[in-house]
């Protein structure tokens, strides 16, 4: 019989502190470099893409998983390698379309985004820097929170969880556009949402002792 170990304490969760650190770095540069809302949203867009990328890897690396309550074409699939590939491809398509639409939203000028024909004014170096630090952050998190082979995950939950992770943090940034100088406060709320969902994720998916 397996038992679920207690979640890592807040203090000992290295990946959580890394997430908090990189969020605060982003806020610091957003303030000191006077980043526009478009630049901030693009950086967090890249963070969401990174989350999806590592989620695909997690799906494909599953050795034991459950398909309970999960259906493809109206039927519950068997927990086979072919199912993993199918789910990963479906997630890639669905998540990709979602973020393509979100990218169009950012670039269209909605909520303070860049106006058409004015994209060259964006600080692309800063956007790339912000995207890179979040990639490093989630790479660290992936490495330190790899699920043990003995953990049986539900592949349906694993597929849909990234949406629950990214929607709260993006909503705070989008809503922050309406508050002008209060945007920093909303970036801090975004960071809080990111931290909370990180804790929830690893509480749900942490592995039991064999």
């Amino acid at each position: 019989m397996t038992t679920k170990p207690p979640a890592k304490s807040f203090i000992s969760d290295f990946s959580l502190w890394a997430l908090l650190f990189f969020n605060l770095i982003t806020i610091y540069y957003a303030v000191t470099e006077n980043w526009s809302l478009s630049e901030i949203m693009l950086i967090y867009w890249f963070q969401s893409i990174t989350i999806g990328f590592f989620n695909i890897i997690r799906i494909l690396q599953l050795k034991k998983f459950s398909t309970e309550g999960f259906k493809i074409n109206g039927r519950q699939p068997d927990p086979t390698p072919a199912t993993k590939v199918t789910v990963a491809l479906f997630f890639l398509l669905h998540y990709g379309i979602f973020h393509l639409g979100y990218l169009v939203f950012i670039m269209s000028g909605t909520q303070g985004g860049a106006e058409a024909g004015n994209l060259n004014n964006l600080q692309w170096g800063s956007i790339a820097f912000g995207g890179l630090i979040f990639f490093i952050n989630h790479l660290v998190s992936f490495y330190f929170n790899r699920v043990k082979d003995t953990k049986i995950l539900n592949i349906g939950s694993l597929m849909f969880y990234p949406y629950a992770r990214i929607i709260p943090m993006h909503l705070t940034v989008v809503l922050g556009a309406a508050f002008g100088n209060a945007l920093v406060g909303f970036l801090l709320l975004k960071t809080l949402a990111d931290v909370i969902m990180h804790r929830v994720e690893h509480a749900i998916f942490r592995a039991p002792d064999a």
Side-chain angles (χ1 to χ4, degrees):
M1 181 177 180
T2 60
T3 58
K4 182 178 287 187
K8 291 181 179 178
S9 70
F10 187 90
I11 295 176
S12 64
D13 190 344
F14 175 80
S15 62
L16 175 63
W17 285 107
L19 176 64
L20 182 61
F21 174 72
F22 284 120
N23 267 284
L24 292 179
I25 283 181
T26 302
I27 294 174
Y28 171 79
Y29 279 103
V31 173
T32 58
E33 300 296 326
N34 196 30
W35 288 351
S36 69
L37 178 65
S38 293
E39 288 157 348
I40 294 170
M41 292 177 71
L42 282 170
I43 288 171
Y44 291 143
W45 181 87
F46 278 111
Q47 182 190 9
S48 295
I49 291 295
T50 299
I51 290 172
F53 170 75
F54 283 109
N55 198 59
I56 290 174
I57 295 178
R58 289 181 71 183
I59 291 173
L60 293 175
Q61 286 187 343
L62 289 174
K63 294 184 178 180
K64 298 179 181 180
F65 62 93
S66 166
T67 58
E68 182 179 357
F70 178 68
K71 293 184 178 180
I72 298 178
N73 296 325
R75 61 175 294 273
Q76 180 175 314
D78 296 324
T80 63
T83 296
K84 286 194 305 184
V85 174
T86 299
V87 171
L89 289 176
F90 178 79
F91 174 80
L92 175 63
L93 177 64
H94 193 274
Y95 200 77
I97 291 175
F98 176 86
H99 279 80
L100 177 61
Y102 186 37
L103 180 62
V104 171
F105 168 79
I106 296 172
M107 306 305 281
S108 67
T110 306
Q111 298 293 340
E115 296 180 358
N118 200 32
L119 300 182
N120 289 333
N121 291 334
L122 292 175
Q123 302 180 62
W124 290 105
S126 298
I127 294 170
F129 170 74
L132 177 61
I133 64 175
F134 276 116
F135 180 86
I136 294 172
N137 167 234
H138 289 285
L139 177 62
V140 170
S141 180
F142 178 78
Y143 177 80
F144 280 96
N145 293 284
R146 286 176 298 179
V147 178
K148 296 178 183 178
D149 292 342
T150 54
K151 176 67 176 179
I152 300 179
L153 298 177
N154 184 288
I155 198 169
S157 298
L158 188 58
M159 184 181 75
F160 288 110
Y161 189 81
Y163 294 98
R165 171 76 184 268
I166 67 172
I167 289 176
M169 69 185 196
H170 281 290
L171 280 178
T172 58
V173 178
V174 173
L175 293 174
F179 290 84
N181 293 333
L183 180 59
V184 172
F186 275 82
L187 295 183
L188 290 173
L189 287 176
K190 177 269 176 191
T191 300
L192 178 62
D194 211 4
V195 167
I196 290 173
M197 295 310 294
H198 169 90
R199 292 290 290 175
V200 171
E201 176 185 3
H202 294 294
I204 292 174
F205 295 128
R206 69 182 185 273
D209 292 327

